[in-house]
Amino acid sequence: MAAIISAVTVISLIVTALYAVISVATAYILCKRKNISSAIEKWVVSWLVFDAIIHFTLEGPFVIISSLGTVENSTHFTALLWQEYGKADKRWLVSDPTIVSLEMLTVFLDGPLCVLLVYAILDDKHYRHFVQIVLCVCELYGGWMTFCPDWFVGSPNLVTDSALYLWVYLVFFNGLWVVIPLAMLWQSWVQLREAHSPKRPTSLKLSRDYSSQGAYPKTIRAKTSDVSESGPNSAENSTRGYNLRRRN
């Protein structure tokens, strides 16, 4: 275990934890400015900020390094972090075409979508759940295409004989980009379902009673017609009854 856990291991975990703290703090400040009190929305914004930071500051340099050479031979600071993760998945060390292609998708599409979705949530934009669904599908697609091709050939690049590599690097960190997008998809499904089937207001029900002969509902026209059919005699009788009550 001592040989597995190195200074780079500790630094990579500290950096990840620091990113998480920054994300929660940023989300709290943003939601407070926009008077968003929902705990779920605060956690969604926290995740999106964390997701964007990962895409831009870690995966962005990975794409550049892998396009110019390999992570394995690079001395860049972020390359050291990817070299640590490469102990669990060797493809990240050698500029695997599938991995680099997927990371380009996350950097140039998923990252901007995270920022756009944060803006849409804070300003309550109509396209919020459309962007959220697109982002979640992209994240799930990236996770599937990262591991499925390797599974088909017997997972020769995955190192699973260490609990750290298997449960922390492979399962936990990659699982976040599966469980959370699925939860956000469910949130969008619930919100869209509620928006699509609201309670019908009374005004809509009355509007169905409108006839082509006039602008008033049938019930209103019926009451009007009753008064008109009774004629002046009805009004005269009402006046007489009122005068008799006053005399008594």
Side-chain angles (χ1 to χ4, degrees):
M1 181 62 68
I4 294 176
I5 299 178
S6 62
V8 178
T9 305
V10 176
I11 292 174
S12 62
L13 295 176
I14 292 176
V15 169
T16 304
L18 182 61
Y19 279 1
V21 172
I22 293 174
S23 301
V24 172
T26 302
Y28 174 79
I29 295 173
L30 294 175
C31 291
K32 186 177 182 180
R33 289 182 177 179
K34 293 294 183 177
N35 295 321
I36 297 177
S37 58
S38 171
I40 294 178
E41 295 290 61
K42 290 179 180 179
W43 281 113
V44 170
V45 174
S46 298
W47 165 254
L48 293 172
V49 174
F50 178 80
D51 199 10
I53 292 175
I54 293 293
H55 290 327
F56 290 134
T57 65
L58 292 182
E59 293 173 329
F62 171 82
V63 171
I64 297 174
I65 294 171
S66 299
S67 300
L68 301 176
T70 64
V71 166
E72 189 174 24
N73 297 323
S74 176
T75 57
H76 192 268
F77 171 74
T78 55
L80 297 178
L81 300 179
W82 286 115
Q83 288 169 8
E84 178 64 24
Y85 181 79
K87 295 177 181 179
D89 191 340
K90 300 174 184 177
R91 294 172 297 171
W92 298 82
L93 300 174
V94 295
S95 301
D96 181 86
T98 301
I99 297 298
V100 177
S101 299
L102 289 173
E103 288 297 352
M104 291 179 67
L105 177 68
T106 61
V107 172
F108 297 111
L109 180 60
D110 294 357
L113 283 177
C114 289
V115 177
L116 179 61
L117 184 52
V118 169
Y119 170 74
I121 293 173
L122 295 177
D123 280 18
D124 195 23
K125 297 297 183 180
H126 65 278
Y127 51 80
R128 176 261 174 94
H129 285 290
F130 171 77
V131 176
Q132 184 162 315
I133 291 172
V134 172
L135 173 62
C136 291
V137 171
C138 288
E139 300 279 18
L140 293 172
Y141 172 79
W144 176 260
M145 291 304 299
T146 297
F147 291 101
C148 187
D150 207 57
W151 291 338
F152 271 116
V153 294
S155 304
N157 297 297
L158 303 181
V159 179
T160 59
D161 56 355
S162 166
L164 176 65
Y165 298 159
L166 174 60
W167 296 108
V168 178
Y169 290 179
L170 295 177
V171 175
F172 176 73
F173 284 127
N174 289 285
L176 290 176
W177 274 267
V178 175
V179 175
I180 296 179
L182 285 175
M184 291 174 62
L185 279 177
W186 175 253
Q187 182 195 34
S188 293
W189 163 263
V190 172
Q191 293 294 325
L192 292 174
R193 182 184 62 187
E194 293 178 356
H196 189 67
S197 56
K199 294 181 179 180
R200 296 195 177 275
T202 306
S203 59
L204 294 178
K205 185 176 181 181
L206 289 175
S207 65
R208 295 180 178 179
D209 295 331
Y210 280 44
S211 68
S212 58
Q213 298 177 355
Y216 296 98
K218 292 180 181 179
T219 53
I220 298 177
R221 290 205 315 276
K223 293 181 180 180
T224 306
S225 61
D226 290 342
V227 175
S228 61
E229 289 176 359
S230 60
N233 293 331
S234 176
E236 184 178 352
N237 292 335
S238 299
T239 305
R240 289 177 180 177
Y242 175 76
N243 291 333
L244 288 174
R245 285 195 299 273
R246 290 189 62 185
R247 291 174 183 177
N248 293 333

